[in-house]
Amino acid sequence: MINNLEFSVADYYDVDGIMAIEEKYFSSNGIAYTKEDIIKWMAYNPEMVYVVRDEEKQVKGFTIIVPLTKIGYDKYRNGLVKDLDKLELSDIAPNMESEYYYFADVACDNKNKVASMVLFNNILPILLEKAKYIVTTPVTKEGRNKAVRLCAKN
């Protein structure tokens, strides 16, 4: 725990806090996920959404890392999809055992740098252990761009 911030897998009680951050930072360019999207992904794979909570259990930041099937990964690499809400559930691995990952979001309330640090310090070891290939879609004022590969491990 750093600065009274706790990192853990998100649960359904966190969804409203996640949505408050999601809408604040992503709704202006039309790329915010919906509450239904978050709940659907958590139901399909409960380990892909993570949060940082303060001592009052309020969500201060979240991240989504998505274990992909090879087909899902190829859809990103070939530009067929740019965002998680455009994937079929069958493109997402039902557990965290995959070598292909989509690094969807890291977002923190009020651009909280400590919460960001807690998220990255906890997510990076997970990705380094499991992922062989990681893609992400950078966000600009215009929305999400085509996927870029962050790494490929030998």
Side-chain angles (χ1 to χ4, degrees):
M1 193 175 287
I2 298 175
N3 285 24
N4 296 320
L5 294 174
E6 172 193 41
F7 172 84
S8 72
V9 172
D11 62 38
Y12 293 106
Y13 298 108
D14 296 317
V15 173
D16 287 337
I18 292 168
M19 290 310 303
I21 295 168
E22 181 75 11
E23 289 167 0
K24 182 175 183 178
Y25 293 106
F26 297 108
S27 64
S28 64
N29 54 12
I31 60 169
Y33 300 131
T34 67
K35 186 174 185 174
E36 292 75 22
D37 288 333
I38 301 289
I39 291 170
K40 174 179 71 175
W41 299 325
M42 288 173 69
Y44 185 73
N45 184 334
E47 296 178 70
M48 62 187 245
V49 182
Y50 296 85
V51 294
V52 171
R53 295 183 205 92
D54 66 12
E55 62 277 355
E56 297 168 2
K57 303 296 182 201
Q58 298 298 308
V59 174
K60 295 299 174 186
F62 75 95
T63 188
I64 303 172
I65 57 171
V66 184
L68 298 169
T69 64
K70 174 73 166 95
I71 292 169
Y73 175 80
D74 287 341
K75 285 181 178 180
Y76 277 105
R77 289 289 295 147
N78 295 324
L80 300 175
V81 294
K82 290 184 182 179
D83 212 345
L84 181 54
D85 60 349
K86 305 299 186 252
L87 271 184
E88 301 294 324
L89 283 179
S90 61
D91 296 326
I92 300 171
N95 55 43
M96 295 305 279
E97 301 307 317
S98 178
E99 56 184 26
Y100 305 99
Y101 283 82
Y102 172 58
F103 194 23
D105 283 328
V106 174
C108 295
D109 188 37
N110 296 319
K111 300 183 181 177
N112 186 320
K113 291 179 183 173
V114 176
S116 294
M117 181 182 72
V118 171
L119 284 169
F120 277 109
N121 283 346
N122 285 279
I123 287 299
L124 290 177
I126 295 169
L127 288 172
L128 288 171
E129 175 191 334
K130 296 178 180 293
K132 187 171 181 181
Y133 304 96
I134 303 172
V135 292
T136 193
T137 49
V139 176
T140 64
K141 287 187 249 182
E142 291 78 34
R144 289 197 189 271
N145 293 307
K146 183 179 176 191
V148 294
R149 187 170 70 185
L150 294 178
C151 69
K153 218 173 20 175
N154 292 334

